Amino acid sequence: MLVIGLTGGIGTGKTEVSRLLQELGATVLNADQVGHEAYTPHSEAWNEVVKAFGESILQDSGEIDRRKLGGIVFADPDQLEILNGIMHPRMAAIVREKLQGLNQGGVEVAVIEAAVLFEAGWDSLVDEVWTTESPEPLVVARLQERNGFSPEEIRKRIASQMSSSERSDRATEVVNNSGELADLENTVRAIWKRRVEGRIEH
Ligand code: ATP
């Protein structure tokens, strides 16, 4: 099984690229979903996060309010480090387990989509890394539209992440997403053809 790590800054097109890769036949694991799973109420990670950040981050249902938690950690790098220290190892264990299951199930190409792939050290779980890149003004406009975040909120989140140049330096492939969605589709198909076809049977 070929395992591709898909990373990229907030709003640079990871979800769109995942969707395209799925259409091309890949099976995608999303770090956000893995995070949700790790956050299951009363799991080990949930307990530690509540201990570290207090019960005010909980919704009435007992679930962690991720938007509230995001507001705390993206405003304070120390808090983000605490959260990452709790979550990244647990999420890696879940990813490893899921990859094993996919491999045993005969999957040929698996993709792990994670904004924090490098920060969390998950590049060691994959064969190669692709990173999406988009100019910052486009990212700000898209996220204002999608999440209703203010430009300031978006810039804070961008600043809290690894720089896009560092990500690109460390990646095997840069997926340029500075055009229309149709351009992105062509870009992804071309990279797939070059890097994946020929390494799989179908
Ligand atoms: P996040 O890290 O916040 O989850 P992401 O990297 O997964 O973001 P997407 O969700 O794929 O990014 O893209 C952000 C928003 O911009 C989405 O609403 C998406 O549909 C839109 N978008 C992405 N690429 C393009 C494009 N080339 N043209 C127009 N809209 C785009």
Side-chain angles (χ1 to χ4, degrees):
M1 182 170 73
L2 173 67
V3 184
I4 299 167
L6 177 63
T7 190
I10 182 171
T12 54
K14 294 179 295 298
T15 308
E16 295 289 349
V17 172
S18 289
R19 188 180 54 73
L20 292 164
L21 290 173
Q22 227 154 356
E23 278 176 23
L24 287 164
T27 300
V28 178
L29 298 177
N30 178 295
D32 261 2
Q33 282 162 6
V34 173
H36 270 292
E37 217 168 289
Y39 276 145
T40 303
H42 308 291
S43 68
E44 212 182 321
W46 181 94
N47 277 322
E48 283 200 37
V49 170
V50 174
K51 205 159 80 189
F53 294 92
E55 291 191 359
S56 63
I57 57 147
L58 293 179
Q59 296 171 321
D60 291 343
S61 63
E63 283 177 55
I64 288 167
D65 183 333
R66 287 165 43 116
R67 187 148 188 166
K68 209 178 232 177
L69 187 55
I72 298 170
V73 298
F74 290 118
D76 182 346
D78 291 342
Q79 300 292 317
L80 183 60
E81 204 172 309
I82 291 170
L83 181 64
N84 287 344
I86 297 170
M87 294 304 290
H88 288 167
R90 282 179 179 77
M91 287 166 73
I94 295 175
V95 168
R96 227 179 259 122
E97 212 170 275
K98 283 184 189 287
L99 284 175
Q100 246 167 28
L102 294 180
N103 194 19
Q104 281 158 6
V107 165
E108 285 191 290
V109 184
V111 174
I112 304 171
E113 180 201 335
V116 295
L117 190 93
F118 286 123
E119 291 94 326
W122 298 347
D123 45 326
S124 65
L125 301 177
V126 306
D127 297 310
E128 57 185 67
V129 178
W130 299 7
T131 184
T132 47
E133 253 197 32
S134 271
E136 190 168 315
L138 272 184
V139 170
V140 172
R142 287 178 193 150
L143 292 184
Q144 265 182 290
E145 165 123 4
R146 191 189 65 182
N147 300 38
F149 285 147
S150 69
E152 196 206 341
E153 251 176 315
I154 297 163
R155 292 211 177 85
K156 236 189 239 166
R157 279 169 162 74
I158 293 174
S160 79
Q161 298 184 321
M162 177 180 282
S163 72
S164 76
S165 61
E166 184 175 353
R167 239 186 248 110
S168 301
D169 282 348
R170 293 177 60 177
T172 324
E173 280 289 336
V174 175
V175 183
N176 180 315
N177 183 21
S178 52
E180 310 270 319
L181 282 173
D183 300 321
L184 182 62
E185 179 166 352
N186 289 334
T187 302
V188 171
R189 281 181 185 279
I191 299 175
W192 178 273
K193 203 161 185 189
R194 184 155 43 77
R195 294 213 64 89
V196 181
E197 277 181 17
R199 292 166 80 178
I200 59 173
E201 284 178 17
H202 312 102

